Amino acid sequence: MVAEVFETFREWIDNRHEYARAWKERAGNKVVGYFCTYVPEEILYAANILPVRILGSHEPPTVTEPYIFAMYCHLCRDCLAQGLKGRFDYTDGIVEGQSCLHLRQAFNAWRLHIPTDFAYYIHVPHGIQNPHAIPYLTQELAKFKKALEDWTGKKITDEDLDRGIRIMNRNRELMRKVYEYRKLDNPKLTGLEAMEMVLSSQMVDKEEHSKLLERLLQELPNRKLDRNPGIRLMIIGSEDDDRVFMKNVEALGATFVIDEHCTGSRYIWDDVIPHEDRLFAIASRYVKRIPCPSKDWPEFTRLMHSVRLAKEFRVQGTLVIQNKFCDPHGIEIPPLKEALKSVGVETYPLEFDVTVPWGQFRTRVEAFLETLTGLEELF
Amino acid sequence: MITAGVDVGAKYVKIVLLEDGKNVLTRANGIVEFDVRKSATEVFEKALLDAGLKHEQIVQVVATGMGRKAIHKISPINAGEVVPEVIADAKGTYHLIPTVKTVIDVGAEEGRGVKVGENGKVRDFVINERCAAGAGTFIETMARALEVRVEDMGPLALKSANTIPMNAQCCVFAESEVVTLIHSKVAKEDVAKAIHDAMAGRIASMVLRVGVEKDVALIGGVARNPGFWPPLKRELNTEIVVPEYPEYVGALGAALLAFETEGQK
Amino acid sequence: MAQIKEYPTEPLKIWNEAKQLRSKYYEDYLTAYERGGLRWAGGAWSFSIIPAGLGEDVYCLTGEPHGATIAFFKDFAAKCHDAVEAAGFPRTLCSYMRNYWGSILLDKYVLADGTVVDGHPAPDFIWQDHICCSHGKWYQVAKWLEEKKGKKVPMYCVDVSVGYPMDKPLEEYKINYIVQQLNDGIEWLEKVTGRKYNDKLLCEAVWNEIKATRLWAEICALNQAVPAPLDEKSMYSLYVMGTLMKHLPECVAFYERLKAEVEDRVRRGIAAVANERFRVITDTQPPWGFLQIFREMEKYGVVSLGSLYTYGLIGMWEYRPDGTWTPKELPPRKPQTREEALKMIVEWTVNRPEWAHFYLPEAKTKMMLSIVKQWNVNAVLLHYNRGCEGLSVHIAENRLGLQKAGVPVFPFEGNMGDEREFDFTGTLARLTAFFASMGLKN
């Protein structure tokens, strides 16, 4: 039964476009593609719109060359390539929640070159550590809400917003409960399975996803994974949906027991806390959530959070996934390394591109795992 | 009037002797060694011998290619003018295919995309930036890794119907991925196809910067590789024409420009 | 063959003054404590008018110009890159930032003439802005590096990510968001420095900046003349004053004198490049270690008149109702109160031309086309700058926009601050091919 649930998550990821098309036909409502997890999906659900995350396909994005200079990360180019190839042609609009320059380019190139009914950019503040960010974002969200109302021709009421908040909070809460099972000595799920759980939530109706999570949580306590968990690893990075990499590393005698990136825990860690002013409540969540490094200054709050996660999940080592050309995440590598080392956790950075040279990476990961087991002392 | 076009490329010298701006009297080529001037001179003398001509009968020489400066106003070839490759490419291709609008030239070290206007003039161009993943050397390096002769790489690739995505940003990364595939016992033809797909992707990516307009011609040494044509056509979504003697088109263009220069005197 | 026209040329009289002003700036920062002064470090974008209210003995080191200075001296830059990579940072990060961090790691400080002195002068506080993905984090790491050397440096960073006012002004709440941060920043400065804030100095600094940035635009507008009185390479040494000290009266005075000299050059037909016959503009920062590329271009009679970067990073511009792109009109009067000063400078700053492309590539394309038309430009050279994500963002869209309008465009890859990533010979070969396609010969 548990296997069936994870199989469904995989199918949803592999057939994301078919799912969205079928949803659209069934529900008769709009589908909106979004690039970054700073888009407040609560408001889209409130408008009965299905938000789907635009992610790449890990094929070299040849077609994007006229629109984005190749010095920008593979993710933003891969995302744009999906649009240019027509794979998201069922979407009625695109929304971006201000984060990095790279995805901003993908959004604007899409807006300029791919016909779309609705293209909206929410200026989510970068200054999330300053007290004015929440009132500012509240007003930005009011503007966004109005734009959605004008587009759909339907007012978004407080009840609608409550519903949107409930849907998102419930889904996040359930996934966090599943994450608890990763703390065990013998985790009930692999890192790959956890990634597929979170990834699939970004592609489907979260109410449907939550139903499956509820089933999973009933069965998970009884699950016995027929594998040696091996070394307890953490994966930290920019956006990472490289399932092949996760699978390959876990086959070397390790388990990713926790992650810190935006197709993982960063997406689900924080909820909207109810407040009379619903937009204020949503704004508060997006300002106070575990931040993308592009917004995390002057203090290193994300680093401190990563250290807490490493302790809570009893991590032995960390693989840092650096998307080539990503400045915000790349900047944090040495301070991150130092912070984790201070609690006895070693890190190993790997540079990711659109495809991954597993041969090279395997050698490095194996060597890293060996240093964690102390085998090198035998020689 | 007999003119000569000398294309001193990264690896090969190509020479065309042209009569009255239209009849190709002979073509000759040779490897570029450390002494570039000497290598070019040897091939030039070979061309003269093949055509039964003396040096004095050549009215004007125009040089192009990476090493053109080695023979510009330097004896014995003494090229009177030098032109950048894109100018020679456009001229030469237009002469062979007057309907051409886009020229893709893939040589040993460089890949170029050229938009051609009236009379073979260059409207726009792009050259691969510093990375050899989009040039002939890439295929040669990969052929060594696969223990296959360079000339067999294309036919080998054509035997495969599988697609394996490979990093097309960097030759060095791509080689690393090839090594991994070899160790994973992936069939040689599949690896060969992946290599050609990656290179075509890189070239197509570059050409898309200037845009693709029909008719599209492919020239340069790599144009002789049949394994390269299908993925390039697929990436650019267009038919591609490969003229006869594609590696000599630059030299032909230079010889035509020499004829035009003399005609203007 | 037609005779190539030769225009009269003259060196700029103000040249030495420019050099001295810049030298003094870097020396003053180093020796600030000798005068009982304060030192702060931050971006050139950073509302330098705010710390100016702490007194007339406050010296700043703006990061981007300093990163450029380091890049100009390639040997030192190479050492900085090595140090930063050895510390575990990826080499693909912003090259100005890596140059700055390298200085800290090496504990060295480079002066304007390339003299490298021992001891990197740590700031008393960091006053930064966040305009791209790296800016806030640049100094976050600088602070982290200083801490390792035993100095705790407090940091404040202003978020300006509110968008760009393309066809209409930004909403009040967006302006207020920045104004509130600046207000809080003043309180923070008082706390960390122990000094009482002087609103009169703030109002002076705001008015100086507004005047200086308008003056620079007026100077750039003079380059519409044929022949152009200034070439871009020379302009770098002049516009830089605006990146260092646009809030200071010295900068205003300098630009006033420069403007008078350039007006005189226009009146007398003095050219920057004697054989000017092809006018180009560039884009983004140049590869600072290889500025001789401009002199190579001049062999073809090509003069670079500037760029949206040279004109619009410091200069302030606006569109008139008739569609002309012109230096921005000054506000009606100098601000009298803190409230007025903060609102005025924020409204002024968000209109910065080099802010547009962060949000709307079409806004930048529009301005570039205005420059092409009004400055009589024949072609545009786009520097696909691997060293700066912020200024290169959407550059491919600008290329498409320019080409659509029929403007010849030559893109080339490089890096403003990392000399390893600019292929001088290769770029020159490509440029030669481009000029040949334009009918130009050496």
Side-chain angles (χ1 to χ4, degrees):
Chain A
M1 215 296 300
V2 166
E4 274 170 29
V5 169
F6 284 117
E7 186 53 39
T8 307
F9 291 151
R10 273 190 287 276
E11 273 167 20
W12 279 343
I13 297 169
D14 293 338
N15 303 303
R16 65 192 80 170
H17 303 304
E18 289 77 3
Y19 175 95
R21 276 186 234 276
W23 182 94
K24 197 171 164 174
E25 211 175 295
R26 224 172 35 241
N29 287 332
K30 297 187 196 295
V31 178
V32 158
Y34 71 91
F35 294 87
C36 170
T37 59
Y38 273 98
V39 169
E41 294 174 70
E42 289 83 351
I43 303 180
L44 291 165
Y45 274 104
N48 290 309
I49 293 171
L50 177 69
V52 295
R53 189 160 183 195
I54 297 168
L55 288 170
S57 62
H58 295 276
E59 298 160 278
T62 309
V63 295
T64 59
E65 189 68 22
Y67 312 107
I68 301 182
F69 164 25
M71 180 266 276
Y72 292 87
C73 75
H74 70 86
L75 172 68
C76 74
R77 287 180 288 121
D78 204 351
C79 287
L80 178 62
Q82 306 313 304
L84 291 170
K85 290 179 176 175
R87 292 183 184 156
F88 279 91
D89 59 0
Y90 51 84
T91 52
D92 301 283
I94 50 165
V95 178
E96 170 62 341
Q98 179 163 259
S99 58
C100 67
L101 292 172
H102 302 230
L103 285 178
R104 199 181 299 189
Q105 272 194 131
F107 169 82
N108 276 316
W110 193 300
R111 171 176 68 83
L112 290 168
H113 303 289
I114 300 167
T116 187
D117 247 3
F118 181 79
Y120 198 92
Y121 187 89
I122 306 170
H123 297 82
V124 180
H126 283 317
I128 52 160
Q129 293 179 22
N130 93 66
H132 307 291
I134 296 176
Y136 168 73
L137 182 57
T138 306
Q139 293 185 276
E140 264 295 286
L141 294 184
K143 213 171 136 200
F144 175 55
K145 175 172 161 284
K146 173 93 181 37
L148 280 177
E149 288 169 339
D150 290 344
W151 181 42
T152 59
K154 199 166 171 290
K155 192 136 175 29
I156 298 171
T157 63
D158 278 348
E159 288 69 40
D160 291 325
L161 288 170
D162 287 340
R163 182 169 43 79
I165 292 169
R166 247 191 338 265
I167 290 171
M168 292 295 293
N169 274 358
R170 179 72 180 141
N171 191 241
R172 289 188 283 243
E173 181 199 2
L174 289 169
M175 284 196 275
R176 287 197 303 271
K177 282 188 169 148
V178 173
Y179 264 52
E180 288 291 315
Y181 288 96
R182 301 173 78 184
K183 286 181 178 172
L184 300 172
D185 285 346
N186 213 333
K188 297 282 184 189
L189 64 159
T190 63
L192 173 62
E193 286 170 335
M195 177 183 272
E196 288 174 337
M197 173 183 72
V198 180
L199 250 189
S200 58
S201 79
Q202 297 179 340
M203 292 164 185
V204 302
D205 186 330
K206 285 183 169 59
E207 286 187 290
E208 212 179 319
H209 194 265
S210 292
K211 285 201 180 84
L212 216 57
L213 287 171
E214 280 159 4
R215 271 177 61 195
L216 179 64
L217 281 164
Q218 280 168 357
E219 299 296 321
L220 211 47
N222 304 324
R223 190 192 203 200
K224 261 195 170 61
L225 261 187
D226 184 22
R227 64 188 292 277
N228 182 347
I231 307 275
R232 297 175 71 85
L233 291 179
M234 178 167 181
I235 183 165
I236 300 186
S238 1
E239 180 278 340
D240 175 38
D241 62 332
D242 202 314
R243 295 145 73 195
V244 171
F245 175 79
M246 298 291 282
K247 183 172 171 205
N248 287 346
V249 170
E250 291 189 308
L252 294 176
T255 304
F256 288 110
V257 297
I258 188 62
D259 54 72
E260 202 299 299
H261 58 65
C262 66
T263 39
S265 72
R266 207 188 292 172
Y267 184 60
I268 64 172
W269 217 248
D270 304 280
D271 285 336
V272 175
I273 297 167
H275 188 281
E276 202 186 318
D277 181 341
R278 275 69 166 183
L279 292 180
F280 174 84
I282 295 171
S284 301
R285 188 260 168 195
Y286 283 90
V287 166
K288 290 187 184 161
R289 56 158 272 194
I290 304 301
C292 170
S294 64
K295 297 180 188 293
D296 197 26
W297 43 265
E299 302 307 322
F300 282 116
T301 66
R302 174 195 165 239
L303 257 52
M304 295 304 108
H305 170 71
S306 303
V307 168
R308 279 193 301 272
L309 283 179
K311 289 198 318 208
E312 223 177 291
F313 285 77
R314 296 176 295 122
V315 161
Q316 290 170 271
T318 301
L319 289 179
V320 176
I321 300 309
Q322 169 59 13
N323 274 342
K324 193 174 169 75
F325 303 121
C326 174
D327 270 29
H329 285 87
I331 287 168
E332 292 201 345
I333 294 177
L336 178 67
K337 203 177 159 87
E338 186 183 81
L340 286 168
K341 199 177 168 81
S342 72
V343 295
V345 177
E346 292 294 336
T347 52
Y348 192 83
L350 290 167
E351 193 172 74
F352 268 39
D353 204 331
V354 65
T355 58
V356 152
W358 177 245
Q360 275 192 336
F361 278 11
R362 185 195 174 116
T363 317
R364 285 151 178 76
V365 173
E366 278 178 335
F368 180 59
L369 292 177
E370 279 179 35
T371 62
L372 295 175
T373 57
L375 281 174
E376 82 286 7
E377 289 166 4
L378 292 177
F379 298 99
Chain B
M1 188 202 306
I2 300 170
T3 55
V6 182
D7 179 358
V8 188
K11 287 198 86 170
Y12 298 97
V13 181
K14 285 81 66 179
I15 295 181
V16 165
L17 300 182
L18 190 71
E19 185 184 40
D20 296 334
K22 43 182 191 282
N23 305 323
V24 173
L25 297 175
T26 193
R27 298 177 189 85
N29 76 70
I31 290 180
V32 174
E33 290 176 359
F34 191 75
D35 187 337
V36 176
R37 188 191 63 87
K38 181 165 172 273
S39 304
T41 305
E42 281 168 6
V43 179
F44 193 74
E45 281 162 4
K46 179 162 166 268
L48 289 171
L49 196 65
D50 286 347
L53 294 169
K54 290 192 172 46
H55 194 153
E56 307 81 77
Q57 289 173 274
I58 309 295
V59 170
Q60 177 62 275
V61 181
V62 167
T64 186
M66 203 178 276
R68 58 186 179 270
K69 289 216 169 98
I71 58 171
H72 182 209
K73 296 189 165 123
I74 294 172
S75 294
I77 298 178
N78 206 11
E81 298 272 344
V82 287
V83 294
E85 298 87 324
V86 296
I87 307 283
D89 283 352
K91 200 74 189 173
T93 315
Y94 182 78
H95 176 80
L96 297 169
I97 308 165
T99 54
V100 75
K101 291 278 186 292
T102 314
V103 177
I104 304 171
D105 177 1
V106 188
E109 294 287 337
E110 268 192 354
R112 294 179 275 272
V114 188
K115 296 299 281 293
V116 183
E118 266 177 38
N119 298 323
K121 283 216 167 349
V122 172
R123 278 169 42 213
D124 195 4
F125 72 91
V126 62
I127 302 175
N128 68 311
E129 297 270 355
R130 296 190 328 277
C131 177
T137 309
F138 182 59
I139 300 276
E140 281 184 25
T141 313
M142 299 301 135
R144 272 199 297 278
L146 279 181
E147 293 176 3
V148 163
R149 291 183 318 167
V150 175
E151 54 269 34
D152 294 336
M153 280 289 277
L156 183 63
L158 290 174
K159 289 185 181 158
S160 165
N162 293 319
T163 300
I164 304 169
M166 185 186 288
N167 188 314
Q169 282 269 76
C170 173
C171 186
V172 177
F173 287 164
E175 187 175 359
S176 166
E177 288 184 53
V178 164
V179 168
T180 304
L181 292 173
I182 291 169
H183 286 288
S184 309
K185 307 275 190 271
V186 172
K188 264 191 186 176
E189 55 264 30
D190 292 342
V191 181
K193 180 172 176 288
I195 289 162
H196 284 81
D197 287 348
M199 189 165 135
R202 189 88 186 94
I203 292 290
S205 200
M206 178 191 71
V207 174
L208 283 169
R209 273 211 206 174
V210 292
V212 174
E213 225 179 303
K214 285 172 91 158
D215 288 327
V216 179
L218 176 63
I219 65 172
V222 176
R224 285 198 178 271
N225 181 339
F228 187 53
W229 308 333
L232 190 62
K233 286 185 205 178
R234 198 178 54 240
E235 290 285 354
L236 295 177
N237 196 24
T238 187
E239 279 307 311
I240 291 170
V241 180
V242 180
E244 228 190 335
Y245 304 106
E247 69 272 33
Y248 285 100
V249 176
L252 172 65
L256 286 161
L257 287 162
F259 178 75
E260 276 177 22
T261 310
E262 279 308 296
Q264 279 161 14
K265 284 192 181 151
Chain C
M1 207 192 303
Q3 194 74 6
I4 292 167
K5 186 168 182 170
E6 286 263 330
Y7 295 106
T9 59
E10 265 173 34
L12 280 166
K13 295 185 185 76
I14 207 168
W15 191 250
N16 283 337
E17 188 187 328
K19 288 183 86 154
Q20 277 157 19
L21 209 51
R22 192 166 151 259
S23 284
K24 188 172 178 297
Y25 171 85
Y26 286 110
E27 279 158 18
D28 280 353
Y29 181 78
L30 180 66
T31 58
Y33 292 160
E34 291 168 21
R35 294 181 292 285
L38 281 179
R39 284 202 291 241
W40 67 268
W45 233 97
S46 268
F47 297 104
S48 45
I49 40 98
I50 304 286
L54 292 171
E56 283 166 337
D57 58 347
V58 177
Y59 303 91
C60 62
L61 181 70
T62 48
E64 305 91 325
H66 194 58
T69 302
I70 293 171
F72 186 79
F73 299 107
K74 293 196 279 292
D75 289 341
F76 183 65
K79 293 192 175 97
C80 290
H81 306 321
D82 286 343
V84 168
E85 281 155 49
F89 294 96
R91 66 176 273 176
T92 55
L93 304 178
C94 162
S95 52
Y96 279 167
M97 178 170 74
R98 286 185 287 126
N99 287 351
Y100 186 86
W101 290 345
S103 269
I104 301 177
L105 287 165
L106 296 169
D107 199 18
K108 301 243 186 258
Y109 178 65
V110 76
L111 295 169
D113 63 355
T115 309
V116 178
V117 301
D118 287 329
H120 189 265
D124 296 304
F125 61 89
I126 291 166
W127 177 259
Q128 175 58 319
D129 61 278
H130 190 76
I131 51 167
C132 65
C133 293
S134 313
H135 259 52
K137 307 200 71 62
W138 172 340
Y139 283 90
Q140 182 182 41
V141 166
K143 179 174 170 232
W144 180 72
L145 291 173
E146 295 288 3
E147 248 174 64
K148 288 174 176 312
K149 289 162 75 180
K151 177 144 190 199
K152 270 188 154 20
V153 182
M155 174 176 165
Y156 192 88
C157 189
V158 181
D159 177 19
V160 289
S161 63
V162 297
Y164 176 76
M166 183 164 180
D167 297 319
K168 54 186 174 140
L170 290 177
E171 294 92 332
E172 201 64 28
Y173 73 88
K174 294 193 176 203
I175 303 293
N176 281 343
Y177 173 60
I178 305 174
V179 167
Q180 283 165 330
Q181 289 177 76
L182 295 180
N183 248 323
D184 288 359
I186 290 174
E187 282 174 30
W188 180 87
L189 283 171
E190 284 186 314
K191 230 186 335 210
V192 305
T193 62
R195 287 190 181 194
K196 182 95 182 66
Y197 199 77
N198 185 328
D199 287 341
K200 192 156 176 287
L201 287 179
L202 167 69
C203 293
E204 281 298 327
V206 165
W207 199 238
N208 283 337
E209 176 165 325
I210 285 174
K211 284 194 297 187
T213 50
R214 154 123 189 156
L215 274 165
W216 177 248
E218 288 180 289
I219 292 162
C220 295
L222 292 167
N223 241 17
Q224 291 175 50
V226 178
L230 297 170
D231 68 282
E232 190 168 24
K233 182 177 181 294
S234 306
M235 287 170 90
Y236 291 137
S237 299
L238 306 169
Y239 104 104
V240 70
M241 244 53 78
T243 67
L244 304 177
M245 56 177 87
K246 56 190 176 303
H247 59 286
L248 290 179
E250 291 93 308
C251 187
V252 176
F254 175 77
Y255 282 152
E256 277 167 350
R257 281 195 292 284
L258 175 60
K259 183 181 158 198
E261 184 176 345
V262 179
E263 279 169 340
D264 178 58
R265 285 169 75 95
V266 171
R267 259 194 306 273
R268 293 187 293 123
I270 304 297
V273 173
N275 59 336
E276 173 188 313
R277 57 197 161 110
F278 195 81
R279 293 157 69 96
V280 302
I281 55 171
T282 66
D283 192 38
T284 79
Q285 306 92 328
W288 291 111
F290 301 92
L291 294 180
Q292 65 266 39
I293 199 135
F294 287 96
R295 299 297 174 237
E296 291 294 330
M297 294 200 300
E298 286 166 13
K299 294 176 184 170
Y300 293 82
V302 176
V303 61
S304 180
L305 307 172
S307 53
L308 185 67
Y309 163 72
T310 323
Y311 295 178
L313 182 69
I314 295 309
M316 290 303 286
W317 302 77
E318 63 189 354
Y319 275 101
R320 281 212 201 104
D322 68 1
T324 323
W325 198 59
T326 179
K328 193 166 166 60
E329 283 301 314
L330 296 180
R333 60 165 198 162
K334 184 169 143 185
Q336 304 297 310
T337 64
R338 182 188 292 191
E339 202 188 320
E340 268 178 39
L342 295 184
K343 188 153 190 283
M344 187 182 286
I345 197 64
V346 171
E347 284 175 338
W348 187 257
T349 303
V350 294
N351 279 285
R352 175 163 289 151
E354 277 283 283
W355 186 226
H357 70 278
F358 278 89
Y359 290 97
L360 300 167
E362 54 265 51
K364 178 178 167 183
T365 301
K366 181 179 173 187
M367 285 188 278
M368 289 180 86
L369 287 172
S370 296
I371 297 176
V372 166
K373 183 170 165 214
Q374 291 171 223
W375 273 254
N376 229 318
V377 170
N378 302 113
V380 179
L381 314 182
L382 292 180
H383 180 202
Y384 276 35
N385 182 356
R386 298 171 75 96
C388 181
E389 296 182 345
L391 291 207
S392 290
V393 74
H394 298 124
I395 199 169
E397 296 291 349
N398 301 130
R399 181 177 162 273
L400 291 174
L402 288 165
Q403 285 199 318
K404 195 170 165 194
V407 180
V409 182
F410 174 77
F412 65 98
E413 277 190 35
N415 194 306
M416 68 200 179
D418 190 332
E419 68 295 337
R420 299 169 294 184
E421 299 214 333
F422 181 64
D423 178 359
F424 181 80
T425 312
T427 305
L428 201 54
R430 286 174 182 71
L431 251 184
T432 306
F434 178 71
F435 291 149
S437 74
M438 295 281 115
L440 296 170
K441 280 191 168 130
N442 187 332

